[in-house]
Each structure stands twice: as C-alpha cells, then as structure tokens.
Amino acid sequence: MQTMTLDGIIERIKSANGVSDFKITECVEHSYQLFFVHGKLETVRCCESEETQISVYVDHDGKRGNASFSLSGNMSEEALDKKLKQAIDNALMIFDEPYSLPSDETSDVCIESNLSSLEPKEAAARAAKAVLEANVYDDCDINALEVFVTKHILHIVNSRGVDKRQTKHSLSLEAIPTCNGESESVELFETYTLAELDEEWIKKEISARIEDVRARLVAKKPTQKIDCPVILNAYELKELFETLVADCNFATHYSNTNLFNVGDAMQSAPKGDRLNISMKPLVKGSPASSNFDGDGCGLVGRQIVKDGKVAAGFGSFRFAQYLGEIPTGVLPCIDVGAGETEIKDMLAKPHLELVYLSGLQVDLLSDYIGGEIRLAYYFDGERRVPVTGVAMSGKLSEALNTLTLSKERAVLGDYSGPAKISLEGMNIF
Amino acid sequence: MHQDLSTFLAERREDCRELVKELKKSFSYVSVLGVDAECTNIRVTSRTSSVSDGATADCGFAVRLYDGGAFYEYSLDDVKGDKKELAARITAALQVDASIKDTVDTRPLADEPLEKTFVRESDFDKYSDAQLLDFCKVTKQALCAKSDNIANAVVQLRKQRIRKLFVSSNRVLEQAYTWVNGVMLIGYREGDKLITAREGACSHLLGYVMATLPSKIDKLVDKAAHLVHAKPIVPGEYDVITDPSVTGLLAHEAFGHGVEMDMFVKDRALAKHCMGQQVASEICNMHDGAAATLSVASYFFDDDGVLASDTHIIRDGILVNGISDLESASELGTAPTGNGRRESHKRKAYTRMTNTFFERGKDKLEDMIASIKHGYMIFETNNGMEDPKSWQVQCVAEYGREIVDGKLTDNYVAPVVMSGYVPDVLKSISMISSDFEVEGAGMCGKGHKEWVCVSDGGPALKLKVRLG
C-alpha cells in the first residue's frame, strides 16, 4: 500500500531539476486463488498489491533520455528524491531521438464482465465446481486445478494531460485432466484466461478435454508415415499469429529486425485462403482487451495484413513518431479473418488434427514451424484414430501458402479468428 | 566486498514477529516471507537505450498459515500497522465458499529453531548505473564495428540484488546476494536473410561479466556469419553431441520437472513410481540444488525458510531422489529439500528447480566427435517442454553443426528440435565429456506461468536422439 499520494509523488517529480516529462503507472491487483489436488482443496491464497512505476524523460543535447524505477510502498519522500535524481542522471546518459508522449486524454472505464458483480470466493468456487463436475468417468480425474479470480486496475498519468484508468476482471484456470489405464496414466495440460465466468462453457470445454485425454491413453505411434494436411486449433494458432504480427510492430521495424515491409507478401504464392489480420483494442471475450496501452495512448484498430500482404504496421506512440506513421498504440488483440470452409468439411478429408503439442515452434527468421506431437487425431478418409509419439516440421513460408481457414471462429487469449486452420506440406515423422 | 542486507526488511523484522505471534493465536503454523529484490535492466541497442526495472523486481510479504488440512497464504505490500487488525483482515480474506468442504491430507509443517544471516560477496556497489550504461554503449559500438551486416545490436546487463527475510515462530533467517546476466544479441542480415545470434555471460560479480562479454564479440559475429547460411535439418534419428547448454536443458526438461515432488502429490510424474530404478545410462549422474553450484538460482534458504541443499537425483543411472518444497513434503511425509520458490511475493511457492546439471564424465570432447560417422553437435538452449507423466521431452537448440567422419564441419543447421522418450534418450548416453559449464541465464515456468530464474548445464553428452 502506497504511503505517498499520487499528488504527492507528482509534486516531488515536478520539484526535481531536469525532468522534461514524466509518466506514473499504478497497478492494483486483488486476487483470490484456489488450488485443488484430486478435487480436494490444497491451498487458498489472497493477494492485495499496489505497484507504482515512475518514468522520467529528460531532453538534453537535442536528444531525449528516459529511465524508470519502481516505487515501493514503504518509500519515503527522501528515498523517492534519491531515486529520482538517479533516474535523471541515467536519462542524461541516454541519447535517443526525441519523441513526445501522448497528451490530453482522460478516461475511466471498466471492461464489462460478470465477474465484477460476483464475490471472488464465490466466482472461484463456481469455476472450480464447473471444472471438477465436467468429469463423468471413473477412470478420469482432474489431478490438479488452479483457479485465479483477479481484479486489475491500471492507472496511467503523465505530464501531458493523460489520466486514464481501466478496471478489468479475469478468471484463470489451470486444469490437468488425467486418464488412468491399467498399466499407464496419461494427462493433458489445459490453461485458460477468461474475461467472464461461463460455467456452461467451462464444463463443455473440460468435458471435451477429458475425451481427448481418454484418447491419449489409447493413442499409438503410427506404424506408417503420415502424409496429409495438418489442422491447427486455437492454441497453436495463437502462437502462430503472435509471431507473425510481431514482425509488423513499429518497434521491430525501428530496430531493423523485421522480415516484412508494407506491401510484402506474407503469403508469397497462396494456393489456399488468403490471410487478413487486424489488430484491435477490444474483442468480446478476450482477456487481452484494453482501451489504452502502457503509455496511456488510446488504441485505434488497424488492418495489418490484407489478402496475404502486409498492409500496415502498428505500435506505440513513440515508435510511430520515429517512423513517421500514425500511432495506433500497442494493440493487444489479434483478429484473423475467417474462411468459408466449415469445420465439418475440413474434417471430412484426410488430415492430422493436432490436439496437444509440447509447444508449437514458430520461427519467422529460420522459416520454421514444427513441434513434438503428444496427441493428434489422424483421419485417413475412413477412420479417425488418436496418435502420439510423432513430430512435425516444415517451412513456415510454404505452409502459409496452403492455408484453409475455418468459417467457425474461436477466441483464446489475445487470438480471435478461425477455430481451425489446415496447412499442407508438413513433414510428419 | 559484501553487500548490505535490506534496510526495509530490517525495519519490518519486528512487525513480522508480531504478526506471526498474533496469527499463532488461530493457526498452529505461521510464517512470513519478506522480499526486497531490485532488478535493473541496462540496455543499449543500435538506436535506443534504457535503464528500467526488470521483471524480477519485487517488494512485499507472503504470509503462510496452517492449522491442519489446507494451507492458506496472503500476499501484501507491507506488514506495518496494527497487527490485530491486520491478522483479522488476513483471516477474513481467506474465507472459503461454503460449497468447498474436502481438503487434502497434510502433516504439520516443521519449524526447527534457527536464527541466521547469510550474505554473499558482491561488487555491485563498485559500479554506478552510468558506468554500466557506458559499458553497454562501448560494447555495442565494438560489436557494430565488426560487420556491416549487423542490422541491430543489443547489449544488456540485468543486475539483481535479492534480499529476503523469513520469520516463523522458531526461525528468523535473512539473506542477501546478487546476480548479473549480460547478453549481446545481434540481428544479422545478408541479402534477404535475417537471423539473430547471441552470446552471454553471468556471475555474482559485475566485474566478471564486464570482462567476459567483450571477449566473445568475435565469436558472436563469426557464429552469425555461419548461421545466416544455416539450412533446415533433415528430420531423423542421429548420433548427437549436446553442448553444456543443451545438456542442461535436457537435464532440466527430461528429469528436472519430473522429480519436482509437488508433481508426485498430484500424481503428475511417472518418476514417483521409478525411485530406485534405472532411468539413464549408468555413466549418468544428475543434481539439482541451490547449494549444488554457484549460479543464478543459488540462495541460502528457499521461500519456505528451508536451507538450500544439493540433491543427487540420478546416481549411476539410478533415480534416487526428488526435490520438494515445504507443502509437498508435508503432503508426502518427506523432508523438504529447499526447492520451494515463488515467482514473486504475490505468487504461491511450488517445488522448483534451481541449478540442475549432469556431472562431468571422463571422455574428451574430441574423442566424442571422432566417434561419430554422421551426426550433429547441437548448441545453445532456446526452449524446452517437459512431460513428466508420459516422459516425452522436447528441447529446442539454436543451431547444430554437422559431424561427418568424426569431424565437426561448418555445415550449420537451424533451428534444431530434439524430442523423444526420456528413458530412451537418457539410456542412449554413451559418452560424457570431462569439461563442465553451468549457464545461469534461463527462466523456467511451471506450466505456462510462475517464472523463476534457473541455471542448468553440465558436460557434453553423446546420445542418440530424434532431431527435426
């Protein structure tokens, strides 16, 4: 808990010599957490935290320097003055190109969520019940479950008239569905961060994962080489598109580490669906949604990939200025345009549908996509069987040319877009 | 030169004692962990510079309560003020919904008497941030001067000053130590190809890191010049030699996570049923422990107030021990090993690895390379993923170099994903080099969260494994 008021902090900063601009970021977190082992309560946690970060900007020698530090709750005015002086000295050693801060924007918003009207302990208990009751099999169990119900308050104030506050709620779940066979036991690892409590969705989702873990128990390593399109689900798509959009960030361009420029084709010779990707501030159901970024810059959505070609960049107020672009703010939500193929049609053709990977490796610079497959469903045109013990790899650039996007959509974390995407040319071994 | 303990924590020591005393009226076990961790990132790139707090900066308290059944924890920024009021606030906040009735079976938490202060040598006070920033600038300039192909260069020092206080009814422990990670990273362009390459150095001493990083500039640029021509590997099973970094990743992912004993409690680790069994070739020995070596995860006591140790996990190929935090030890009826760690005072303590490594062997690296007709030596950890339940493992190395007829060639492949069934991989280890290196630049998550600093390493290993 801060002992100094915001006004008091601002006063100390203003009285420090040499500060051209400043930004104060306050993060407040109230969290209630439950941890279960085999359905029994193991740990109850509460977290009450307030953190303040101060950034000072110093104009000198035609350049701008900045430095930041945390203000701990116990800090005295004298200690703050000392930290400020050190930050100013550090900023004087930094010779970055000049830039301005966002200005004259104020807002106080609460991102809508049914969690705001629930007692955290009730929301946590209901979420836990939904997960634990999803299992109806004697040979299955939720071996471990963690539930986090959190209220986040972010408040940003700067010297140019920005004063923005945002309140968000989130529900995070980590569940380990497990299936116990006669000689073997297998599990899946599932993690979700949700913007709402939707017990029916949770039950349905966990039930589906329990069916998957039952499949994992009987999954076998294929006896013959598999050669067919690979279908990615939302977990993998999140990884894939996070990598792709990072290349369009103004900061990446300013550091000269981008692969694509505006007008370049991400899909060089598309034989399938073309990609359309937008960055957005708010997506319903996405816990990443936000009204402003870490600079307090209001967010403006932008389409960054159109028909497979890079259409625009996006990014912070500072790096937009450096590049002579219109700032969008650091947009948090990735929105990928859906296709026209229904999932049932996608699944009707031979395919390998990934359910659980060690972790999808996507490397734009090495032109690589791949990973170890822990559970997938292989459909050879007649039979759908669970498989395990194989890996896949391929050239990312070639895979992007072969996409089939599902008509149905999904939201997962910062990703919203086709629920499934099929790609071809992967080496499964 | 020694460093100071935390003034803030020293000022709160009595508050912690009083809070423990107050809460003891309602709970059989009470402890308070105080954290005052500074982390400063000093970063210079080709076009920007910054000095800011790093992700591991942390200041606050975690209160643990136990009275049979479940454990209770409350994280807060400060413990100053009326203790009766604070204790009532904590107790009220930790109420559980009436619908939840069953709790796990636990045993009382040990609270052996001990009062001790631990301080490690540090040279942090010899260098101002301005000096460190200057070092980064000079090193960046030296790096950029090496090649016109360097599109971006980054030199970063991340210095951490960790200070912790642990107070329970019978224990008062304090510790202070430092660690610094230095890294040089370049974006290297040739034609339309762009790659990244890195070199690093880490130590408890800034002076060591500042002396070591510049000596690796030529190696870094040479590596980048090769990597820009790296080809994809042809997937398949190969004879492979791992460098110490990848050896460490294998130790960490293959058996480190699998012997975290909170995974035993949850029946999430096959290792629980394999104690005393052979799980690796008989020339393999593996350790974990904050006291096992000096690296980024070396501390004197863990976040449960348990003293650090060196756990011998695999002895001559046999799985002999796991690692545990206080809670999982309470649930299993075993002794904690000093592996209870939190991402911050705001997060739960779990059983976590610290410094994890294979012991050195007797072979010479050149003999190991000479023994391979066709294979790869693979270098530098990128990331990995464990599967303690089914013993699958995936380790991603930054690059590999082809070995042909017993010679290490300049045929680079990247990236390299190594995967397989853990016992098959570990039992295939046929040679272990006599050199040894532990790298302390990594972060490890539990699942996809709870990030803590870890080190891992060891010697070079020769094994047979699937690469893709």
Side-chain angles (χ1 to χ4, degrees):
Chain A
M1 189 175 292
Q2 297 296 342
T3 50
M4 263 183 281
T5 63
L6 183 62
D7 287 343
I9 294 167
I10 291 173
E11 197 178 310
R12 303 309 299 178
I13 297 172
K14 284 182 172 171
S15 66
N17 281 332
V19 177
S20 309
D21 276 308
F22 66 83
K23 178 180 75 173
I24 301 170
T25 307
E26 294 179 316
C27 297
V28 179
E29 181 184 315
H30 304 286
S31 182
Y32 183 87
Q33 306 157 16
L34 296 175
F35 300 77
F36 295 85
V37 176
H38 295 304
K40 293 182 176 179
L41 184 66
E42 185 204 49
T43 305
V44 184
R45 293 196 90 254
C46 267
C47 176
E48 304 290 338
S49 158
E50 291 182 31
E51 290 177 351
T52 303
Q53 182 90 12
I54 295 174
S55 297
V56 295
Y57 304 83
V58 179
D59 295 332
H60 63 97
D61 306 301
K63 301 288 182 183
R64 169 162 274 211
N66 82 297
S68 62
F69 61 93
S70 295
L71 182 64
S72 58
N74 61 303
M75 199 175 277
S76 64
E77 287 190 353
E78 293 72 28
L80 171 59
D81 289 346
K82 197 175 160 190
K83 283 265 190 187
L84 273 171
K85 183 174 182 321
Q86 188 182 6
I88 293 164
D89 288 345
N90 288 340
L92 282 166
M93 291 279 292
I94 290 171
F95 295 80
D96 288 347
E97 291 302 314
Y99 55 95
S100 59
L101 302 183
S103 59
D104 301 324
E105 296 180 32
T106 59
S107 65
D108 188 348
V109 293
C110 179
I111 294 181
E112 211 174 293
S113 167
N114 63 356
L115 291 164
S116 65
S117 59
L118 291 169
E119 277 290 316
K121 71 175 182 181
E122 183 198 343
R126 282 170 55 180
K129 191 172 177 224
V131 172
L132 297 171
E133 287 185 356
N135 175 38
V136 294
Y137 296 106
D138 289 340
D139 61 351
C140 292
D141 190 10
I142 304 295
N143 274 14
L145 169 64
E146 299 186 357
V147 182
F148 296 71
V149 177
T150 308
K151 179 181 181 182
H152 315 261
I153 302 168
L154 177 63
H155 183 201
I156 296 177
V157 174
N158 77 13
S159 51
R160 299 286 165 169
V162 163
D163 186 346
K164 293 191 171 183
R165 187 190 304 270
Q166 176 173 274
T167 304
K168 280 170 72 168
H169 295 79
S170 67
L171 166 64
S172 297
L173 301 171
E174 185 179 295
I176 314 294
T178 307
C179 185
N180 303 305
E182 281 182 13
S183 59
E184 194 188 2
S185 175
V186 294
E187 69 175 31
L188 295 177
F189 176 90
E190 306 298 336
T191 179
Y192 310 89
T193 299
L194 310 168
E196 304 261 347
L197 171 63
D198 181 344
E199 287 143 290
E200 285 310 307
W201 183 90
I202 293 170
K203 271 187 197 170
K204 196 175 157 195
E205 172 67 18
I206 298 297
S207 296
R209 300 290 76 80
I210 285 171
E211 295 301 333
D212 286 337
V213 78
R214 286 169 65 81
R216 191 178 184 192
L217 188 68
V218 295
K220 298 272 188 297
K221 184 172 177 160
T223 51
Q224 290 183 321
K225 185 167 170 57
I226 293 177
D227 185 7
C228 63
V230 170
I231 294 176
L232 309 182
N233 283 302
Y235 297 98
E236 294 79 40
L237 297 173
K238 179 177 182 298
E239 292 289 325
L240 171 63
F241 287 105
E242 283 175 353
T243 303
L244 294 181
V245 304
D247 198 71
C248 300
N249 192 304
F250 292 148
T252 310
H253 283 244
Y254 187 67
S255 65
N256 193 20
T257 51
N258 58 303
L259 205 57
F260 299 113
N261 290 303
V262 172
D264 288 351
M266 270 188 179
Q267 294 173 291
S268 55
K271 288 176 274 184
D273 290 336
R274 293 178 188 231
L275 282 173
N276 287 283
I277 307 173
S278 295
M279 298 302 298
K280 293 184 173 176
L282 303 165
V283 166
K284 185 161 176 54
S286 170
S289 292
S290 183
N291 287 283
F292 54 88
D293 70 6
D295 287 325
C297 178
L299 300 174
V300 182
R302 180 173 290 176
Q303 181 164 9
I304 58 167
V305 176
K306 188 172 183 185
D307 293 332
K309 287 186 177 173
V310 176
F314 73 100
S316 73
F317 201 76
R318 175 184 178 183
F319 289 106
Q321 288 172 65
Y322 284 166
L323 298 172
E325 299 276 356
I326 298 168
T328 62
V330 182
L331 291 156
C333 298
I334 304 165
D335 184 274
V336 180
E340 292 179 351
T341 307
E342 290 188 20
I343 289 174
K344 66 177 172 53
D345 296 330
M346 198 182 270
L347 296 179
K349 297 174 187 167
H351 65 266
L352 183 73
E353 184 186 6
L354 305 180
V355 177
Y356 187 44
L357 280 85
S358 296
L360 184 71
Q361 304 296 316
V362 185
D363 189 334
L364 200 56
L365 301 186
S366 299
D367 195 14
Y368 176 87
I369 181 168
E372 182 224 353
I373 298 167
R374 294 185 178 171
L375 176 65
Y377 292 108
Y378 173 51
F379 178 65
D380 62 4
E382 292 179 359
R383 287 189 327 131
R384 184 173 185 258
V385 292
V387 297
T388 189
V390 288
M392 64 164 195
S393 70
K395 277 193 157 192
L396 179 60
S397 58
E398 291 176 4
L400 288 175
N401 282 331
T402 67
L403 303 180
T404 302
L405 314 177
S406 75
K407 192 174 182 179
E408 296 86 343
R409 295 178 62 86
V411 178
L412 183 77
D414 60 358
Y415 171 77
S416 67
K420 295 183 193 293
I421 292 183
S422 161
L423 45 88
E424 297 176 19
M426 300 297 292
N427 187 355
I428 300 157
F429 57 99
Chain B
M1 182 187 288
H2 285 282
Q3 62 158 321
D4 297 330
L5 292 161
S6 164
T7 310
F8 168 57
L9 293 178
E11 286 173 0
R12 295 294 185 272
R13 193 185 299 118
E14 205 45 45
D15 291 287
C16 291
R17 281 183 190 271
E18 288 171 17
L19 182 60
V20 168
K21 202 171 166 187
E22 184 62 36
L23 285 162
K24 274 286 279 182
K25 293 173 185 171
S26 310
F27 296 88
S28 60
Y29 176 92
V30 181
S31 69
V32 181
L33 175 76
V35 183
D36 183 3
E38 296 169 11
C39 177
T40 308
N41 275 335
I42 295 159
R43 181 181 170 90
V44 173
T45 78
S46 289
R47 305 184 77 177
T48 60
S49 305
S50 62
V51 179
S52 59
D53 274 4
T56 55
D58 184 28
C59 189
F61 297 85
V63 179
R64 171 180 280 156
L65 309 166
Y66 173 78
D67 198 34
F71 303 98
Y72 296 86
E73 291 195 349
Y74 189 89
S75 300
L76 69 170
D77 296 333
D78 206 345
V79 290
K80 215 174 172 183
D82 184 285
K83 299 301 174 290
K84 200 177 278 290
E85 202 177 286
L86 179 55
R89 193 174 95 210
I90 291 170
T91 310
L94 291 167
Q95 294 298 310
V96 180
D97 191 84
S99 64
I100 299 170
K101 302 203 185 314
D102 286 350
T103 64
V104 293
D105 294 327
T106 51
R107 294 163 185 80
L109 300 178
D111 191 20
E112 296 297 320
L114 185 64
E115 293 207 11
K116 201 162 180 180
T117 296
F118 305 88
V119 179
R120 187 192 296 152
E121 177 197 17
S122 170
D123 62 356
F124 275 26
D125 291 334
K126 281 169 67 176
Y127 302 95
S128 67
D129 286 349
Q131 284 173 295
L132 301 179
L133 192 58
D134 198 45
F135 164 81
C136 291
K137 281 182 192 172
V138 169
T139 308
K140 186 264 295 182
Q141 281 160 2
L143 196 48
C144 289
K146 289 288 177 184
S147 171
D148 291 338
N149 290 335
I150 295 176
N152 186 42
V154 179
V155 179
Q156 178 173 305
L157 295 173
R158 187 184 72 185
K159 57 174 185 141
Q160 302 179 77
R161 190 191 290 270
I162 314 290
R163 290 167 297 199
K164 294 189 180 182
L165 164 71
F166 180 86
V167 177
S168 63
S169 292
N170 298 326
R171 286 165 98 82
V172 180
L173 305 174
E174 287 177 77
Q175 63 181 338
Y177 55 91
T178 58
W179 192 258
V180 58
N181 286 100
V183 67
M184 301 183 296
L185 179 77
I186 55 175
Y188 188 96
R189 262 185 211 280
E190 202 174 295
D192 59 356
K193 181 88 172 152
L194 170 69
I195 59 97
T196 58
R198 63 181 157 86
E199 282 291 333
C202 52
S203 171
H204 62 299
L205 298 174
L206 270 162
Y208 171 83
V209 171
M210 291 164 73
T212 306
L213 274 185
S215 71
K216 294 186 171 183
I217 287 175
D218 287 338
K219 184 182 173 193
L220 173 58
V221 177
D222 180 65
K223 180 167 63 185
H226 282 97
L227 279 177
V228 81
H229 299 291
K231 303 272 190 299
I233 193 166
V234 176
E237 189 173 76
Y238 294 98
D239 282 323
V240 168
I241 295 174
T242 57
D243 81 338
S245 163
V246 180
T247 295
L249 180 64
L250 184 63
H252 183 101
E253 302 297 350
F255 252 99
H257 282 293
V259 294
E260 291 170 338
M261 290 170 73
D262 55 353
M263 305 289 267
F264 288 16
V265 172
K266 297 165 187 168
D267 287 311
R268 292 196 57 203
L270 197 53
K272 179 181 180 181
H273 308 290
C274 298
M275 285 295 169
Q277 294 180 21
Q278 187 177 354
V279 294
S281 86
E282 60 189 19
I283 56 174
C284 286
N285 282 275
M286 186 182 138
H287 293 249
D288 177 276
T293 188
L294 176 57
S295 194
V296 67
S298 299
Y299 46 73
F300 299 95
F301 60 86
D302 72 2
D303 293 339
D304 294 329
V306 177
L307 296 185
S309 66
D310 172 5
T311 305
H312 203 153
I313 293 170
I314 296 174
R315 179 181 289 132
D316 301 332
I318 310 287
L319 181 61
V320 287
N321 285 302
I323 54 176
S324 67
D325 65 307
L326 192 65
E327 287 188 6
S328 58
S330 157
E331 291 173 73
L332 293 165
T334 57
T337 58
N339 288 77
R341 305 183 68 190
R342 300 172 191 271
E343 178 182 282
S344 75
H345 78 278
K346 296 192 285 185
R347 310 293 293 194
K348 184 180 182 292
Y350 297 81
T351 301
R352 305 305 301 272
M353 277 175 274
T354 53
N355 310 302
T356 313
F357 54 87
F358 282 103
E359 275 183 20
R360 71 183 77 224
K362 294 176 180 169
D363 298 298
K364 289 183 179 165
L365 180 59
E366 53 266 37
D367 294 340
M368 294 166 68
I369 294 169
S371 72
I372 293 177
K373 177 81 177 160
H374 182 239
Y376 289 90
M377 181 158 181
I378 59 176
F379 299 85
E380 293 183 13
T381 293
N382 179 298
N383 72 78
M385 188 56 87
E386 81 288 5
D387 185 9
K389 187 86 173 173
S390 299
W391 273 354
Q392 298 293 321
V393 65
Q394 172 175 288
C395 298
V396 183
E398 293 285 4
Y399 67 99
R401 289 175 65 181
E402 192 175 21
I403 299 170
V404 179
D405 293 332
K407 291 192 170 54
L408 193 61
T409 70
D410 273 345
N411 301 330
Y412 281 61
V413 290
V416 179
V417 180
M418 175 172 82
S419 59
Y421 180 58
V422 169
D424 289 350
V425 174
L426 296 189
K427 285 177 183 173
S428 78
I429 295 171
S430 54
M431 297 175 88
I432 301 180
S433 75
S434 56
D435 47 0
F436 180 87
E437 194 180 324
V438 169
E439 190 179 88
M443 298 287 282
C444 169
K446 190 95 167 171
H448 296 285
K449 56 185 180 62
E450 315 297 344
W451 296 96
V452 295
C453 295
V454 294
S455 79
D456 40 48
L461 305 176
K462 180 188 169 189
L463 63 158
K464 195 175 266 296
V465 71
R466 184 173 63 197
L467 301 180

